[in-house]
Amino acid sequence: MGGIGALRAILAGLGRAVGTPRLVLFLWLANLLVALPAAVAIGESIHRSIGASQVHEALREGFDLAWHGEYAQAARGIERTFSPSVLGIGAVFDNLEAWLSGTLFTGEPTIVALGVLWGLLWMFFAGGVLDLCARPGAPFVVGRFLNSGGNYFFRFFRLGLISAALYWGVYRFGRWLFLQVGDATRDFTGERRVLVWDLAAAAAVVLLLALVRIVGDFAKVAIVVERRSSALLALLR
């Protein structure tokens, strides 16, 4: 019964999202505005690097590692984030690895700053989104949406600080755990046993990271639906 209830809740949530296309469009445009400056900067940098050379002919056939090596040597700031791993499905796996290892928060300062900006923006929007979802059938009104975002922003900000401390604890634990796994498997002769231990350690870290994320998200729901003023009590709830 619990699984059926969860499925119904997911379908209901998807139905509300589809039923408010103006909200979806508004949020999509907000994400686009955050990402666009970085995309334009990297695009201009690549264009200057290729210039009038014949590199573009080689790039039409596939990724040119020789050109990228020269580009990476001269790269500065946000340009350093451009690598073969950002192309295609590799970008997804690259981000997942960065999230698992914690390097997502310790990378290029410009990207980290953009990530912080994106997080604060979504922290603001989350109040409006949850308030709208808590009122089935209510229309999307920009004024009320922004007002709700402002009402809940500082409570969500305090919740974010607590969640950041929990994430830090999980990453510290993960670093310790992988060191222990490395020591325990140093004398193993079979790669399969080492792989199993590594996968088990990674699964434990992923489970803890997902737990922090899920608890934090439900704490936001509690703050909005139950009108809670304490971020800590909402987290415990």
Side-chain angles (χ1 to χ4, degrees):
M1 293 298 292
I4 296 176
L7 180 60
R8 287 176 178 172
I10 292 173
L11 293 176
L14 290 174
R16 292 186 189 181
V18 173
T20 53
R22 291 177 59 194
L23 172 62
V24 176
L25 178 61
F26 179 86
L27 296 176
W28 180 80
L29 288 174
N31 277 282
L32 180 63
L33 290 175
V34 173
L36 193 58
V40 170
I42 293 179
E44 289 295 328
S45 173
I46 294 174
H47 179 72
R48 289 193 303 269
S49 175
I50 295 175
S53 68
Q54 298 299 314
V55 174
H56 65 278
E57 296 292 343
L59 290 174
R60 289 179 180 178
E61 302 297 327
F63 196 85
D64 190 337
L65 291 176
W67 164 79
H68 179 262
E70 296 178 1
Y71 177 83
Q73 287 183 351
R76 297 291 183 272
I78 196 173
E79 298 171 352
R80 295 175 180 172
T81 64
F82 180 72
S83 66
S85 64
V86 304
L87 303 178
I89 192 64
V92 177
F93 294 122
D94 196 41
N95 287 336
L96 286 175
E97 182 182 0
W99 177 69
L100 173 62
S101 63
T103 56
L104 186 66
F105 308 101
T106 58
E108 175 61 38
T110 307
I111 291 296
V112 174
L114 283 173
V116 170
L117 174 62
W118 180 85
L120 291 174
L121 185 66
W122 265 98
M123 201 174 288
F124 179 82
F125 287 157
V129 172
L130 291 175
D131 179 69
L132 185 64
C133 290
R135 297 179 292 109
F140 171 66
V141 180
V142 174
R144 170 152 189 165
F145 177 83
L146 297 178
N147 182 64
S148 297
N151 286 338
Y152 295 110
F153 175 77
F154 288 103
R155 277 173 273 185
F156 286 0
F157 183 77
R158 295 195 297 271
L159 180 63
L161 293 178
I162 299 173
S163 297
L166 294 175
Y167 276 120
W168 179 83
V170 173
Y171 285 126
R172 292 281 295 182
F173 169 75
R175 184 175 300 178
W176 172 85
L177 181 60
F178 280 111
L179 287 175
Q180 298 303 310
V181 169
D183 291 339
T185 59
R186 183 172 293 120
D187 297 327
F188 285 5
T189 56
E191 293 184 0
R192 181 173 298 179
R193 292 179 63 191
V194 176
L195 177 62
V196 170
W197 279 65
D198 285 338
L199 288 177
V205 175
V206 168
L207 179 63
L208 291 174
L209 290 172
L211 182 63
V212 173
R213 175 62 186 268
I214 293 172
V215 171
D217 286 345
F218 274 98
K220 292 177 184 177
V221 174
I223 288 175
V224 174
V225 175
E226 300 176 0
R227 299 294 189 266
R228 290 179 174 268
S229 59
S230 171
L232 180 60
L233 292 180
L235 197 67
L236 295 174
R237 169 76 171 86

